[in-house]
Amino acid sequence: MQAVGPSGFYNVPVTKFLMLFIGSCSLLASILNYKQIFHLQLSPHITIHHQFWRLFTSHCAFTNSGELFFGLLLLYSMRVIERQFGSAKYAAFMFVTLLIATFLEIGALVSGARLGFRKIPGGPYAIIFSALYQYHRIVPVTYRFRIFGVTFNDKIFVFVPAIQMMLSQYFSTFVPAVCGLLVGALYRSDVGNIKQWRFPLFIRSWTSRLVESSLASGPIPRSSTTMPNEITGDATAINNLMTSAASGLRNRRQNSNNPPSSSSTTSTTTTNRPSVEGVREYIDTFTGRSSNPDLEPPSEQHTSVLMTMFPDHPREVIIRAVTSSRNDLNRAVEIMLSTPAPNTGGAGNSSSSSSGR
């Protein structure tokens, strides 16, 4: 199915109520063997037995599991219409659809009696297809694709189950589906300003309190899964860390030949350390490293990386830095940047001066 808008039932209480109500009625009808009270016939239900309540119950429950599955799936997909209309307008739209579609179905039973059309099966076909017409007119196409040279769009994943429902019982389900499409077109054209009608204010206030207490759904929490832009940001942070380490090493090599003053050394350390610590804190927050006090054996891979980055330092110093950082490469780089390199240049000068004497 097409993923339009956020998932779940956040801000769609009418859709949630319809799915719970229709699903519960369908299950109870199947368990209690009451499926026969949900279909609609003029004779004998209306004209002889005067069972006018069937005009409402015929929209309340599906009579088989396949149509229940596809019907609930389509109702869930139509939640984007409720988010577009608002819950008050969507509830009014459903009520108007129920009234007009019922009259159209009665007219279809009267006119189709000579053609053998005598029964409308139970199920909210008209409601679903009226909302499907709004979906067709409101929701834009997101993407297109080709199969065997034929171009489709992403709405095909909604229309295919709808066509299956329309033709599931041939003419018996085709007629209420067409009635729903006609009501959807009528509502869309705003004949008689029917789009402006709403339930009275006291009914809306009462239902809003009921929704807040029992049917309200919170927003779906954001997933902790790493997204592509987050991965790019982490790679950039690591690259910045490596660049700062290389620049710090280069500056220290230059300063070994020209010893800087204490003030410049202090400023360089102050400039480099916040950026390194900021990157380290960002990476630690992202990866969720735990502060385990137990020291781990030094990683050979991290040791090799640090020996490449700091060739002037002995291996023992690098291993000590890796161990102190608990195998945290970023922390080990920070430790090595603050560790002075051995004074190899001074030793070489003293040996040369002794040989000269």
Side-chain angles (χ1 to χ4, degrees), residues 171-233:
F171 207 61
S172 298
T173 52
F174 180 80
V175 170
V178 171
C179 291
L181 292 175
L182 291 176
V183 176
L186 187 67
Y187 188 87
R188 185 70 179 173
S189 61
D190 198 16
V191 176
N193 291 327
I194 57 176
K195 295 173 69 174
Q196 310 303 321
W197 182 83
R198 301 290 186 274
F199 283 103
L201 182 59
F202 72 92
I203 295 180
R204 282 182 284 167
S205 61
W206 178 79
T207 54
S208 64
R209 289 194 297 268
L210 177 64
V211 165
E212 291 177 358
S213 60
S214 58
L215 293 178
S217 298
I220 302 297
R222 183 183 177 186
S223 174
S224 59
T225 306
T226 305
M227 301 302 291
N229 57 345
E230 294 174 342
I231 296 175
T232 304

Side-chain angles (χ1 to χ4, degrees), residues 2 17 107 123 176 200 225 242 272 285 315:
Q2 187 189 38
F17 171 77
T225 306
M242 301 298 289
N272 292 336
T285 303
R315 179 180 176 87

Side-chain angles (χ1 to χ4, degrees), residues 47-123:
T47 58
I48 298 177
H49 300 307
H50 305 294
Q51 297 176 346
F52 296 106
W53 48 267
R54 286 182 178 267
L55 297 176
F56 171 74
T57 59
S58 62
H59 300 280
C60 293
F62 290 102
T63 54
N64 62 70
S65 58
E67 294 179 3
L68 174 63
F69 172 76
F70 286 110
L72 294 182
L73 197 64
L74 289 172
L75 277 176
Y76 180 74
S77 300
M78 297 303 107
R79 72 192 187 281
V80 64
I81 306 301
E82 182 175 356
R83 291 194 176 110
Q84 180 74 21
F85 283 0
S87 296
K89 182 178 179 179
Y90 192 69
F93 161 71
M94 287 294 176
F95 184 76
V96 170
T97 298
L98 184 66
L99 289 181
I100 301 178
T102 300
F103 284 108
L104 291 179
E105 289 175 358
I106 293 175
L109 288 173
V110 172
S111 59
R114 297 181 181 179
L115 302 176
F117 178 66
R118 303 179 183 275
K119 173 185 174 182
I120 292 180

Side-chain angles (χ1 to χ4, degrees), residues 78 81 130-141 155 159 181:
M78 297 303 107
I81 306 301
S130 180
L132 189 67
Y133 183 86
Q134 312 303 319
Y135 177 89
H136 168 67
R137 295 295 303 272
I138 293 176
V139 178
V141 173
K155 289 186 178 181
F159 293 153
L181 292 175

Side-chain angles (χ1 to χ4, degrees), residues 330-348:
N330 307 302
R331 178 60 180 165
V333 170
E334 181 184 352
I335 293 174
M336 293 303 299
L337 285 174
S338 59
T339 302
N343 193 8
T344 56

Side-chain angles (χ1 to χ4, degrees), residues 121-320:
Y125 297 96
I127 293 176
I128 292 175
F129 280 86
S130 180
L132 189 67
Y133 183 86
Q134 312 303 319
Y135 177 89
H136 168 67
R137 295 295 303 272
I138 293 176
V139 178
V141 173
T142 306
Y143 61 89
R144 290 179 171 83
F145 58 94
R146 295 173 64 87
I147 298 178
F148 300 116
V150 181
T151 302
F152 300 94
N153 58 53
D154 55 319
K155 289 186 178 181
I156 194 68
F157 300 109
V158 175
F159 293 153
V160 167
I163 294 174
Q164 192 278 334
M165 279 192 61
M166 178 184 288
L167 303 177
S168 59
Q169 299 184 36
Y170 304 105
F171 207 61
S172 298
T173 52
F174 180 80
V175 170
V178 171
C179 291
L181 292 175
L182 291 176
V183 176
L186 187 67
Y187 188 87
R188 185 70 179 173
S189 61
D190 198 16
V191 176
N193 291 327
I194 57 176
K195 295 173 69 174
Q196 310 303 321
W197 182 83
R198 301 290 186 274
F199 283 103
L201 182 59
F202 72 92
I203 295 180
R204 282 182 284 167
S205 61
W206 178 79
T207 54
S208 64
R209 289 194 297 268
L210 177 64
V211 165
E212 291 177 358
S213 60
S214 58
L215 293 178
S217 298
I220 302 297
R222 183 183 177 186
S223 174
S224 59
T225 306
T226 305
M227 301 302 291
N229 57 345
E230 294 174 342
I231 296 175
T232 304
D234 298 328
T236 304
I238 294 174
N239 290 334
N240 292 337
L241 174 65
M242 301 298 289
T243 303
S244 63
S247 61
L249 180 61
R250 188 165 51 248
N251 291 336
R252 193 165 58 197
R253 286 179 177 176
Q254 292 176 357
N255 294 336
S256 63
N257 297 327
N258 299 318
S261 61
S262 59
S263 59
S264 61
T265 303
T266 304
S267 63
T268 304
T269 306
T270 307
T271 304
N272 292 336
R273 183 175 297 274
S275 62
V276 175
E277 291 208 359
V279 173
R280 181 179 63 82
E281 291 177 0
Y282 172 78
I283 296 177
D284 289 346
T285 303
F286 174 75
T287 56
R289 292 188 178 94
S290 60
S291 57
N292 186 7
D294 298 332
L295 294 180
E296 300 177 359
S299 171
E300 288 295 332
Q301 182 180 3
H302 293 174
T303 303
S304 301
V305 172
L306 290 177
M307 290 183 65
T308 304
M309 296 175 60
F310 304 95
D312 296 334
H313 289 72
R315 179 180 176 87
E316 292 77 15
V317 176
I318 293 176
I319 291 177
R320 190 181 305 115

